[in-house]
C-alpha cells in the first residue's frame, strides 16, 4: 500500500461514524496494488477486525501497479449488497456531513437512478463536486457545466452525467459498465462517458460531503512518478474512442493526441 496512513485514516473515520450505530459497521473492501509489501495495512486491518470481533474490513493484496480500474473491478465483483459506496483512499468521513445513507435513500426513491454522488471539501475549498455534463463533440470528449434539472423530492440533488469519485451506486448496474482495466489512471471520463452511453442515470447531491484530505507526495517517490503517468493513460483513452482531445469544464484542453 503506497499510502497506508490514508487508508487507516479513512477506515478510522468510518468506524467513528458507524461502530456505535444500530446496524454496526458496514463491510469495508480494500484492494491494495501498492509497490511495497503492504504489511502495515495488513496489520492494521487485522487489529481492527480483532477488536470488532468480525471481519468487517476485507483486504486483498493485488499485483503491484494493477491500476485504479482493475482494483475497482476486483472489488465490485466481491460486493454482496445491492448498493456500494466508492471512496478514494484520501477521503475522510465526517459526522453530520457524510451521510452516505442519504445517497442510497435518493436511489431507493428514484429507481431510475444508478449513481448518486456527494460533494467534496478540502482545506482550501469549502465545496466542489466535479459534476456536470459529458459528451463527444467533434474530435473531443467535452465536459460542460450544467445539469438536467433537480431530482424530484430532493432539492439539493440534480441530474448530471459525471460526478466526483464519491458516490453510491447500484452494484448490478455498475457491473454492466465496469472500469477499463487498461486504464490504470485517467479512467474517470471514460467510465462516466460509457455509463452514459449504456443508459445509466446519474445525480449529485450538495448536502452530502466528504473531506478530501489531499496528500502531496514527494515528486521523487515511486508513487508520485507512477501518478505522473496520467496523461499517458488519458491519451490511451482518447485513442480508444478515436478522439483527439479532452476538454474540461473551463474550456481548456486538458489532454490531447498530437
Amino acid at each position: 500500500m503506497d499510502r497506508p496512513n490514508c487508508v487507516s485514516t479513512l477506515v478510522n473515520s468510518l468506524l467513528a461514524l458507524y461502530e456505535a450505530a444500530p446496524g454496526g459497521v458496514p463491510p469495508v473492501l480494500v484492494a491494495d496494488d501498492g509497490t511495497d509489501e503492504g504489511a502495515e495495512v495488513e496489520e492494521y486491518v487485522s487489529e481492527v477486525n480483532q477488536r470488532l470481533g468480525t471481519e468487517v474490513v476485507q483486504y486483498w493484496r493485488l499485483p503491484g501497479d494493477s491500476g485504479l480500474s482493475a482494483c475497482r473491478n476486483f472489488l465490485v465483483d466481491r460486493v454482496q449488497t445491492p448498493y456500494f459506496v466508492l471512496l478514494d483512499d484520501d477521503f475522510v468521513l465526517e459526522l453530520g456531513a457524510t451521510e452516505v445513507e442519504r445517497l442510497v435513500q435518493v436511489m431507493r426513491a428514484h429507481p431510475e437512478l444508478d449513481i448518486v454522488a456527494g460533494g467534496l471539501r478540502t482545506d482550501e475549498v469549502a465545496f466542489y463536486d466535479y459534476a456536470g455534463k459529458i459528451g463527444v463533440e467533434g474530435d473531443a470528449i467535452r465536459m460542460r457545466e450544467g445539469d438536467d434539472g433537480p431530482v424530484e423530492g430532493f432539492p439539493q440533488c440534480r441530474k448530471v452525467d459525471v460526478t466526483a469519485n464519491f458516490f453510491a451506486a447500484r452494484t448490478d448496474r455498475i457491473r454492466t459498465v465496469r472500469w477499463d482495466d487498461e486504464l490504470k489512471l485517467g479512467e474517470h471520463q471514460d467510465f462516466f462517458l460509457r455509463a452514459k452511453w449504456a443508459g445509466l442515470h446519474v445525480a449529485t447531491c450538495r448536502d452530502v460531503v466528504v473531506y478530501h484530505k489531499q496528500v502531496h507526495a514527494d515528486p521523487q517517490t515511486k508513487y508520485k512518478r507512477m501518478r505522473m503517468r496520467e496523461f499517458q493513460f488519458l491519451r490511451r483513452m482518447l485513442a480508444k474512442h478515436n478522439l483527439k482531445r479532452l476538454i474540461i469544464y473551463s474550456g481548456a484542453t486538458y489532454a490531447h493526441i498530437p
Side-chain angles (χ1 to χ4, degrees), residues 37-200:
E37 296 180 356
E40 184 175 344
V41 174
E42 287 190 82
E43 182 178 353
Y44 166 76
V45 168
S46 177
E47 290 174 355
V48 169
N49 289 336
Q50 186 174 6
R51 176 167 61 83
L52 296 177
T54 181
E55 192 174 332
V56 168
V57 183
Q58 301 174 49
Y59 171 85
W60 291 273
R61 175 72 177 163
L62 302 186
D65 194 28
S66 293
L68 282 171
S69 295
C71 287
R72 289 174 183 164
N73 288 332
F74 179 90
L75 293 177
V76 166
D77 286 341
R78 283 151 184 81
V79 172
Q80 298 182 17
T81 52
Y83 308 95
F84 71 90
V85 175
L86 179 70
L87 294 161
D88 284 348
D89 63 354
D90 56 356
F91 290 169
V92 180
L93 281 64
E94 298 182 302
L95 181 64
T98 319
E99 298 182 6
V100 296
E101 297 85 359
R102 181 164 174 78
L103 305 178
V104 176
Q105 178 188 6
V106 175
M107 279 192 289
R108 285 176 171 160
H110 288 271
E112 75 279 7
L113 292 176
D114 304 296
I115 295 173
V116 178
L120 293 81
R121 76 167 186 88
T122 69
D123 291 331
E124 293 79 27
V125 181
F127 177 88
Y128 71 99
D129 59 10
Y130 200 67
K133 305 290 292 176
I134 191 170
V136 173
E137 298 181 14
D139 66 351
I141 294 176
R142 180 67 189 264
M143 304 177 72
R144 293 185 181 274
E145 295 182 353
D147 57 65
D148 292 320
V151 176
E152 184 179 355
F154 298 91
Q156 293 294 322
C157 306
R158 66 190 198 279
K159 302 171 187 176
V160 294
D161 294 335
V162 59
T163 73
N165 279 326
F166 165 48
F167 60 73
R170 298 185 191 275
T171 306
D172 58 347
R173 293 290 282 159
I174 297 301
R175 285 174 177 161
T176 67
V177 178
R178 305 173 66 81
W179 288 267
D180 182 348
D181 282 346
E182 295 298 316
L183 300 177
K184 297 182 179 183
L185 295 168
E187 79 300 332
H188 196 89
Q189 290 82 9
D190 175 76
F191 171 78
F192 280 101
L193 183 63
R194 291 187 299 103
K196 179 179 179 178
W197 289 343
L200 273 67

